[in-house]
Amino acid sequence: MSDSKTSQDSSIYPVLPLRDVVVFPSMIFPLLIGRAGTLAAVEKAMVMERKILLLSQHDANKEDVSPEDLYQVGVISSILQTLKLPNGLVKVLVEGLQRARVTNMSTDQECLMAETEPLDLIEPDSLGTRAHMNVATRIFREYVNLNRQLPDEVLMTLSNLTSPESVADFIMAHLPLSSTKKQEILEESSLPEQFKNINKVLDQEIEILKIEHNIEGQVKDKISRTQRNFFLQEQMRIIKKELGEDTEEDFSDVIAYRKKIRKARMPKAVRERADEELEKLKGMPMMSPEATVIKNFLDWVCALPWSVKTTDTLDLDIAEKILDEDHYGLRKPKERILEHLAVLSRVDKIKGPILCLVGPPGVGKTSLARSIARSMNRKFVRLSLGGIRDEAEIRGHRRTYIGSMPGRIIQGMRRAGSINPVFLLDEVDKMAADFRGDPSSALLEVLDPEQNFSFSDHYLEVGFDLSNVLFITTANIRHEIPLPLQDRMEIIEVHGYLEHEKLQIATNFLLPKQVKENGLKKSELVLPHESIDRVIDEYTRESGVRELERMLARICRKIARENVNGETKSIRVTPATLEKYLGIPRYKENQVEKGDRIGTAVGLAWTSVGGDILNIQANVMKGKGAIQMTGRLGDVMKESAHAAVSFLRSNGADWGIAPDFVAKQDIHFHIPEAATPKDGPSAGITMATALLSALTGKPVPADVAMTGEITLRGNVLPIGGLAEKIMAAKRAGISRLFIPSENRVNWTDLDDELRKDMNVFFVENVIEVWQEIFPAKKSKSSGKGRRKSTRAARTSPAGSH
């Protein structure tokens, strides 16, 4: 390095923009460049005596720079070496020569060209400057001695420098400052001021290093004491063992765990495993990480209810009373629970299927499981499976991982405190799988009566008996439950509530609950049945009662606000004054259009929240056979529409329809509420009926609804969700239904209240539907037979005629 720099006349140099780097004179620095402008600047400098101007950017993230993006003071440097790398970048080794200020910059060339003038320093070699240099040198030596990242050779290089300017530049090159701060010092023309800034920075860095050294010393001292104590304890233990004086009185934790193990009454295999872990704990320091892992394991093993068991209440009358107190209706689930209790009263243990309650939200599946536990006098544990993706959530993590713990099944058993609780696995259809495993597969062992007597959790690594647990699962959608799980469960359909059931639930359960929760007295609110009926019909549209409970809560809050001034008065909410508390009704009383309609037929749909009706509309117009479908229909529903059109083309002659009607007409199917996605095959006969009505001009009766999949031969295939669809028809005021004949067994299995006042026709072919609702036209070939079949399938509220 040179100790002095000679002034140069005003010259033009290519500019190399720097990002987050400031190069000082006498400093050798490697640069990695790859931008087109910087590469061109290096190439131009190679033919201009290897001289180049290094200027730092204001914004390091900017790729394309202009003169305004660069500082005006930089360093004229010499290119010592260039090396092209395989990735297209170029490594350039430069040596700073002299500070320079830009007087003019041109962008006409392939790179930036700058006209410069030397930046002469003030007082470059005065006595004051020498004094500042000596102070900076002394402080820098202390900084290097404290900083392990700087080698001792730095001090040797510093001792060879005599020029104050060289010393300042050399020290600045080794200080951990931001590029902005370094640029400020580079632009400083007074050498004494440069040294003042350098000394200030050095004082701050030395103070930081001293604090770091102090912290490191404290940590080392603590570690040394811990290691010393460990070695002394080990020596003491070995000496006592050699003298035969090694007793458990020296290990209070071991004594406590041994008492816990005896008290837990574990199975023999589990007891042996716990004793093994206890022996390991005895032979290691209590503060070691391994000891902590063993302690956590022993805490879990000792806390589990290996032999704690509650006594079941097997009185069927009491159990039935409790179930009826907590829930209105739900006949089938209650019957199944009472059957379980009846069998349990005769045998010690039941190896039967797991109960799975499937139904729309808000119908009481979770609360029913809680009531089952109360009726049997068992503990109740609930585990929500919604959103679980990791198998370890069920089986736990192995103890090799830091912070590992048992899975949620074992955690639930610990919370229960008994070996025979009612264990609710909620939302079993909401699980998912990812790279961490499939939790539904882990549940197979839990829910299999032939395997769960020795459930293995990854954390415990010992068998835990789950055969005494009454597992109950819940789901909203049956087909989203994995098939292997379905095979291990007994599916019990929990259907939505009818209006009269909602009225009883609201009167006897929901309204008293909300009156109490909102701080009202019974005398403050009078809500007659007529008002509750209007709330059910016009303010809610659900299978369950959650929205109904929210509406009743809103009424109670309004009443509480009216009586907030201390004046307690009884307020009667009549159907006429209901809008004052709940606003304008949300739903129409009847969703079905009034009167008979041409080209419109009512279909029935199943959704995850219950049943609904579909007003399927068909239009025909002059055209060339195009079939248009609107209303956000899914692929399956579109295929049903095409099947309906094909059947009418081949079988419409008996109804006055030409086989080539599609050649001259366009067909448009539409299902209102177009923002709601719709799919499924059960609208097939409804689409065919609506199209036949549009083609013949014959209206479809307004009190008729139908559901069923149609084939190209007109056969009507069975459907699912019959109970929900029947409820939707009753809510809409429909009295006549056409359903597939293969669903007759599902119809007879429904509650009497659900079948009441419904006139149901079981059909095998769509022509039977048309013969009933379009009596003016009969099929010549099969009219009599099919007419007879339809009449035989017609049912009254009590069953078949």
Side-chain angles (χ1 to χ4, degrees):
M1 291 186 184
S2 176
D3 292 349
S4 63
K5 304 175 182 61
T6 59
S7 297
Q8 300 181 14
D9 297 330
S10 176
S11 303
I12 298 178
Y13 300 97
V15 177
L16 196 158
L18 300 178
R19 295 195 279 196
D20 279 334
V21 174
V22 176
V23 177
F24 285 85
S26 301
M27 178 179 176
I28 298 177
F29 195 83
L31 299 173
L32 200 64
I33 62 175
R35 290 183 287 183
T38 55
L39 291 173
V42 171
E43 291 177 359
K44 189 174 289 294
M46 296 299 290
V47 298
M48 296 176 62
E49 299 181 351
R50 293 177 173 260
K51 297 297 188 294
I52 195 168
L53 178 64
L54 304 181
L55 294 177
S56 296
Q57 296 179 199
H58 293 288
D59 185 2
N61 296 321
K62 196 163 186 179
E63 290 291 333
D64 300 324
V65 295
S66 61
E68 292 77 16
D69 299 321
L70 301 173
Y71 288 102
Q72 298 302 301
V73 175
V75 175
I76 299 172
S77 303
S78 175
I79 298 177
L80 302 179
Q81 185 181 8
T82 61
L83 176 63
K84 290 186 178 181
L85 302 178
N87 57 4
L89 301 179
V90 176
K91 187 175 183 180
V92 181
L93 188 65
V94 297
E95 179 184 9
L97 299 177
Q98 182 183 14
R99 286 177 173 81
R101 187 189 304 276
V102 176
T103 58
N104 187 24
M105 194 175 298
S106 170
T107 58
D108 297 336
Q109 306 293 330
E110 296 177 354
C111 61
L112 295 175
M113 300 294 294
E115 184 177 345
T116 65
E117 63 180 11
L119 183 62
D120 296 326
L121 297 179
I122 301 174
E123 300 183 44
D125 199 13
S126 64
L127 293 177
T129 303
R130 288 279 177 180
H132 282 296
M133 181 189 73
N134 293 335
V135 173
T137 302
R138 176 171 46 80
I139 299 176
F140 184 69
R141 290 181 182 276
E142 182 181 1
Y143 172 74
V144 172
N145 292 329
L146 290 173
N147 193 341
R148 299 188 185 94
Q149 297 180 357
L150 294 178
D152 294 336
E153 289 77 5
V154 173
L155 297 179
M156 295 177 60
T157 305
L158 179 65
S159 62
N160 294 327
L161 302 178
T162 58
S163 167
E165 182 180 354
S166 299
V167 171
D169 293 339
F170 181 80
I171 294 176
M172 277 305 306
H174 291 85
L175 290 183
L177 294 179
S178 64
S179 58
T180 304
K181 185 64 177 177
K182 287 186 175 182
Q183 181 67 32
E184 291 178 2
I185 297 177
L186 180 68
E187 295 179 359
E188 178 59 57
S189 59
S190 172
L191 198 53
E193 288 297 324
Q194 286 189 24
F195 277 117
K196 288 181 181 179
N197 291 330
I198 290 172
N199 293 339
K200 182 178 179 181
V201 173
L202 284 172
D203 288 336
Q204 293 175 350
E205 291 298 321
I206 289 173
E207 189 66 27
I208 293 173
L209 289 173
K210 287 181 178 179
I211 295 174
E212 290 179 356
H213 282 225
N214 186 29
I215 295 174
E216 290 177 2
Q218 293 177 2
V219 173
K220 285 184 178 180
D221 183 58
K222 185 175 181 180
I223 293 174
S224 298
R225 287 199 306 268
T226 304
Q227 290 176 341
R228 178 175 175 273
N229 293 337
F230 171 75
F231 289 128
L232 290 175
Q233 288 176 358
E234 283 296 298
Q235 291 175 355
M236 184 181 298
R237 184 180 66 81
I238 294 173
I239 291 172
K240 285 190 174 184
K241 186 175 181 180
E242 291 294 331
L243 295 174
E245 300 176 358
D246 187 17
T247 61
E248 289 191 358
E249 280 71 16
D250 298 315
F251 304 96
S252 58
D253 288 348
V254 174
I255 298 173
Y257 280 119
R258 197 172 295 282
K259 291 180 180 179
K260 290 181 180 179
I261 292 173
R262 287 199 298 266
K263 187 178 179 181
R265 292 185 294 171
M266 307 171 186
K268 182 179 179 181
V270 181
R271 174 73 178 268
E272 292 176 354
R273 180 60 186 276
D275 288 339
E276 290 178 7
E277 297 294 328
L278 193 60
E279 287 300 318
K280 294 179 183 177
L281 180 65
K282 185 179 175 182
M284 63 178 60
M286 290 300 171
M287 299 304 294
S288 65
E290 294 82 0
T292 303
V293 173
I294 294 178
K295 286 180 182 180
N296 290 337
F297 171 79
L298 293 175
D299 286 337
W300 273 102
V301 170
C302 296
L304 289 175
W306 298 99
S307 56
V308 180
K309 190 174 183 179
T310 58
T311 303
D312 290 337
T313 300
L314 302 178
D315 191 322
L316 298 186
D317 294 333
I318 295 177
E320 185 175 8
K321 181 180 179 182
I322 292 175
L323 292 174
D324 291 337
E325 284 177 356
D326 293 346
H327 294 84
Y328 184 86
L330 304 180
R331 176 178 57 85
K332 284 187 179 180
K334 291 179 180 178
E335 287 181 357
R336 182 63 184 85
I337 295 303
L338 295 176
E339 292 171 1
H340 180 87
L341 294 178
V343 176
L344 196 61
S345 65
R346 294 174 173 265
V347 297
D348 293 335
K349 185 182 293 187
I350 301 178
K351 281 192 176 182
I354 310 301
L355 302 183
C356 180
L357 307 178
V358 178
V363 296
K365 301 184 296 297
T366 303
S367 59
L368 179 61
R370 196 182 300 274
S371 297
I372 292 171
R374 191 164 77 93
S375 66
M376 297 179 66
N377 192 33
R378 289 193 179 190
K379 302 287 186 179
F380 177 76
V381 182
R382 174 181 173 271
L383 169 58
S384 178
L385 298 175
I388 287 183
R389 296 176 176 270
D390 190 355
E391 178 193 359
E393 294 281 352
I394 305 298
R395 286 193 174 274
H397 297 83
R398 300 192 184 277
R399 282 188 287 155
T400 53
Y401 300 105
I402 297 175
S404 59
M405 60 190 307
R408 295 196 180 190
I409 299 296
I410 296 298
Q411 292 180 34
M413 295 303 297
R414 179 178 179 177
R415 292 198 309 272
S418 70
I419 202 171
N420 63 334
V422 173
F423 206 124
L424 175 66
L425 301 175
D426 214 359
E427 310 292 354
V428 74
D429 58 332
K430 303 295 191 303
M431 290 184 295
D434 62 7
F435 65 93
R436 292 169 292 185
D438 185 359
S440 64
S441 299
L443 278 180
L444 295 179
E445 181 184 358
V446 175
L447 300 181
D448 192 340
E450 300 297 329
Q451 302 180 45
N452 63 8
F453 66 89
S454 182
F455 171 69
S456 177
D457 186 274
H458 288 161
Y459 183 84
L460 297 181
E461 294 181 340
V462 293
F464 189 87
D465 187 4
L466 297 176
S467 60
N468 294 289
V469 180
L470 175 58
F471 284 104
I472 300 176
T473 65
T474 69
N476 296 130
I477 305 173
R478 178 172 180 172
H479 66 262
E480 292 189 2
I481 304 175
L483 291 178
L485 278 182
Q486 288 194 40
D487 184 60
R488 285 164 169 78
M489 299 187 296
E490 178 181 345
I491 306 295
I492 299 178
E493 300 283 350
V494 182
H495 306 301
Y497 295 111
L498 299 176
E499 290 187 6
H500 75 280
E501 293 176 323
K502 291 183 179 180
L503 177 62
Q504 294 296 327
I505 293 172
T507 303
N508 300 324
F509 297 95
L510 302 182
L511 186 57
K513 175 185 175 183
Q514 290 302 322
V515 167
K516 181 179 179 180
E517 290 185 356
N518 287 277
L520 298 178
K521 298 178 181 178
K522 293 183 179 180
S523 59
E524 290 185 76
L525 173 61
V526 178
L527 194 64
H529 287 182
E530 297 80 8
S531 300
I532 298 178
D533 280 334
R534 191 182 177 195
V535 173
I536 294 172
D537 292 336
E538 300 183 15
Y539 291 91
T540 64
R541 187 72 75 230
E542 59 179 345
S543 296
V545 291
R546 286 178 180 167
E547 187 65 22
L548 175 59
E549 184 175 10
R550 283 191 282 267
M551 293 296 108
L552 297 178
R554 183 182 297 182
I555 294 175
C556 292
R557 291 195 298 270
K558 299 283 187 181
I559 299 298
R561 182 178 179 183
E562 291 185 14
N563 291 342
V564 74
N565 294 327
E567 180 183 355
T568 302
K569 56 183 179 180
S570 179
I571 299 177
R572 183 180 181 86
V573 181
T574 64
T577 61
L578 198 59
E579 294 186 16
K580 174 184 175 183
Y581 300 94
L582 297 181
I584 300 174
R586 299 182 180 182
Y587 307 99
K588 296 180 181 179
E589 185 177 353
N590 195 333
Q591 293 177 317
V592 179
E593 299 177 10
K594 302 295 184 181
D596 300 346
R597 301 133 301 163
I598 295 175
T600 300
V602 178
L604 299 175
W606 177 92
T607 68
S608 61
V609 294
D612 205 353
I613 66 168
L614 298 175
N615 288 300
I616 297 179
Q617 302 169 354
N619 263 5
V620 291
M621 58 215 86
K622 290 183 179 181
K624 297 181 180 180
I627 301 177
Q628 185 178 3
M629 285 169 277
T630 55
R632 289 195 70 180
L633 309 187
D635 292 338
V636 177
M637 187 170 282
K638 291 178 181 179
E639 291 171 0
S640 298
H642 285 290
V645 173
S646 297
F647 179 77
L648 270 173
R649 290 180 63 185
S650 58
N651 296 274
D654 293 340
W655 305 87
I657 301 174
D660 60 345
F661 72 92
V662 293
K664 301 177 183 179
Q665 293 175 310
D666 289 344
I667 301 172
H668 186 179
F669 288 104
H670 178 71
I671 302 180
E673 297 185 17
T676 304
K678 310 167 189 71
D679 204 0
S682 63
I685 64 170
T686 316
M687 288 181 160
T689 302
L691 180 58
L692 179 62
S693 173
L695 291 169
T696 60
K698 299 291 185 179
V700 178
D703 64 339
V704 169
M706 60 197 73
T707 180
E709 180 181 353
I710 190 175
T711 68
L712 290 178
R713 302 295 177 263
N715 296 327
V716 181
L717 302 183
I719 48 89
L722 181 63
E724 287 79 7
K725 294 180 178 181
I726 299 295
M727 289 182 186
K730 290 181 77 73
R731 284 198 301 264
I734 293 173
S735 59
R736 287 195 290 170
L737 294 178
F738 291 90
I739 63 177
S741 61
E742 293 185 40
N743 286 109
R744 185 189 295 271
V745 62
N746 305 104
W747 167 260
T748 56
D749 203 32
L750 297 177
D751 293 340
D752 291 339
E753 285 292 338
L754 192 58
R755 297 188 297 167
K756 186 178 180 181
D757 299 328
M758 298 300 293
N759 197 9
V760 176
F761 299 84
F762 296 98
V763 296
E764 297 181 358
N765 196 283
V766 69
I767 292 180
E768 299 173 28
V769 179
W770 298 344
Q771 289 174 341
E772 185 66 31
I773 63 178
F774 303 127
K777 292 287 183 181
K778 305 291 187 296
S779 172
K780 295 179 182 180
S781 61
S782 58
K784 292 182 180 180
R786 285 188 174 131
R787 179 65 174 174
K788 181 179 179 181
S789 172
T790 306
R791 284 182 172 175
R794 187 182 302 175
T795 68
S796 68
S800 300
H801 286 294

